[in-house]
Amino acid sequence: MQLFETMRLEEGRFPRLPYHKKRIKRSAEQLEFNLDEANWNQLIEMLMNDYPTGVYRIKILLDQDGSLDYVVAALSDKNKFTGKLVQLSDNVNKLELINKTTIRKHLSHNHHTDLVLLYDSNGKLLEFDIGNIMIKEDGYYYTPIYNEDFLRGCMRQSFIDEEKLSQKNYNINDFKDKILKKQIQVFLINSLREVAEVEIYL
């Protein structure tokens, strides 16, 4: 198992870099990984210097012994996705659910749609497989309340801190009803895509 952060590198800078560092540091402490902040900072500096122009998808991986690796890829400009609802299994290890590890079986799907939108056995909406959900309703933006039941994204937290996003839970049945009545709009938010529209297939 490794910890990882997937970040947007745009014109030589990482938006939300402090959020990513805080998250991987918190996970490293919780899962007893050795994260050397000096090595992290050195790698970040190298990547910013090596890719001063353009937009890239950067994946930084941390081994338990503290070894860092990275993958650089082009980032497409896709900004519209399709998604379907899938119930999350009750058997998922909580530490795998709330930390960004390479053990992500609970997020696998057949890709008949671009994304899956998870909900729990109580009907609470949780997250997409590659990011958090943002719902626009009556001119305001909402995301589910965190209760150690999904991964807290860096884009989500930055929007909350900037008071652009409020926390409110949605039940799966109410959510479906509001989609059918076109009372809400659904968005994927993550640090790579930032904000992207999602059409939910019911």
Side-chain angles (χ1 to χ4, degrees), residues 6 36 59 125 129 133 144 183:
T6 310
D36 186 315
K59 184 176 184 178
L125 279 187
D129 55 304
I133 183 171
Q183 295 174 339

mmCIF file of all heavy atoms in Angstrom, residues 6 36 59 125 129 133 144 183:
data_model
loop_
_atom_site.group_PDB
_atom_site.id
_atom_site.type_symbol
_atom_site.label_atom_id
_atom_site.label_comp_id
_atom_site.label_asym_id
_atom_site.label_seq_id
_atom_site.Cartn_x
_atom_site.Cartn_y
_atom_site.Cartn_z
ATOM 1 N N THR A 6 -2.806 13.395 -5.981
ATOM 2 C CA THR A 6 -2.905 13.719 -7.402
ATOM 3 C C THR A 6 -3.207 15.204 -7.508
ATOM 4 O O THR A 6 -4.232 15.664 -7.012
ATOM 5 C CB THR A 6 -4.007 12.892 -8.077
ATOM 6 O OG1 THR A 6 -3.832 11.525 -7.745
ATOM 7 C CG2 THR A 6 -3.942 13.045 -9.581
ATOM 8 N N ASP A 36 9.111 12.569 5.086
ATOM 9 C CA ASP A 36 10.136 13.580 5.339
ATOM 10 C C ASP A 36 9.736 14.846 4.587
ATOM 11 O O ASP A 36 9.747 14.874 3.351
ATOM 12 C CB ASP A 36 11.494 13.064 4.854
ATOM 13 C CG ASP A 36 12.642 14.006 5.212
ATOM 14 O OD1 ASP A 36 12.484 15.234 5.017
ATOM 15 O OD2 ASP A 36 13.691 13.516 5.662
ATOM 16 N N LYS A 59 1.100 12.907 -10.020
ATOM 17 C CA LYS A 59 0.769 11.943 -8.970
ATOM 18 C C LYS A 59 2.029 11.672 -8.169
ATOM 19 O O LYS A 59 3.024 11.192 -8.710
ATOM 20 C CB LYS A 59 0.240 10.645 -9.578
ATOM 21 C CG LYS A 59 -0.222 9.617 -8.546
ATOM 22 C CD LYS A 59 -0.822 8.393 -9.255
ATOM 23 C CE LYS A 59 -1.387 7.392 -8.252
ATOM 24 N NZ LYS A 59 -2.006 6.236 -8.946
ATOM 25 N N LEU A 125 -25.714 10.358 0.450
ATOM 26 C CA LEU A 125 -24.760 10.564 -0.638
ATOM 27 C C LEU A 125 -23.375 10.811 -0.055
ATOM 28 O O LEU A 125 -23.237 11.530 0.935
ATOM 29 C CB LEU A 125 -25.154 11.783 -1.486
ATOM 30 C CG LEU A 125 -26.236 11.613 -2.539
ATOM 31 C CD1 LEU A 125 -26.324 12.876 -3.362
ATOM 32 C CD2 LEU A 125 -26.005 10.417 -3.426
ATOM 33 N N ASP A 129 -16.101 8.534 -7.391
ATOM 34 C CA ASP A 129 -14.901 7.702 -7.290
ATOM 35 C C ASP A 129 -13.621 8.498 -7.501
ATOM 36 O O ASP A 129 -12.545 8.055 -7.081
ATOM 37 C CB ASP A 129 -14.952 6.535 -8.284
ATOM 38 C CG ASP A 129 -15.183 6.981 -9.723
ATOM 39 O OD1 ASP A 129 -16.189 7.668 -9.972
ATOM 40 O OD2 ASP A 129 -14.366 6.635 -10.594
ATOM 41 N N ILE A 133 -18.577 15.551 -4.427
ATOM 42 C CA ILE A 133 -19.749 16.043 -5.140
ATOM 43 C C ILE A 133 -20.089 17.449 -4.656
ATOM 44 O O ILE A 133 -19.959 17.762 -3.464
ATOM 45 C CB ILE A 133 -20.958 15.103 -4.954
ATOM 46 C CG1 ILE A 133 -22.163 15.605 -5.775
ATOM 47 C CG2 ILE A 133 -21.313 14.916 -3.485
ATOM 48 C CD1 ILE A 133 -23.325 14.630 -5.820
ATOM 49 N N PRO A 144 -21.804 16.981 0.918
ATOM 50 C CA PRO A 144 -22.169 16.232 2.129
ATOM 51 C C PRO A 144 -21.286 16.556 3.331
ATOM 52 O O PRO A 144 -20.110 16.895 3.197
ATOM 53 C CB PRO A 144 -21.985 14.773 1.695
ATOM 54 C CG PRO A 144 -22.168 14.791 0.216
ATOM 55 C CD PRO A 144 -21.590 16.092 -0.232
ATOM 56 N N GLN A 183 -34.330 20.264 -10.246
ATOM 57 C CA GLN A 183 -34.217 21.269 -9.196
ATOM 58 C C GLN A 183 -32.772 21.474 -8.746
ATOM 59 O O GLN A 183 -32.483 22.417 -8.011
ATOM 60 C CB GLN A 183 -35.066 20.856 -7.986
ATOM 61 C CG GLN A 183 -36.561 20.829 -8.274
ATOM 62 C CD GLN A 183 -37.371 20.291 -7.111
ATOM 63 O OE1 GLN A 183 -36.857 19.585 -6.246
ATOM 64 N NE2 GLN A 183 -38.660 20.624 -7.080
#
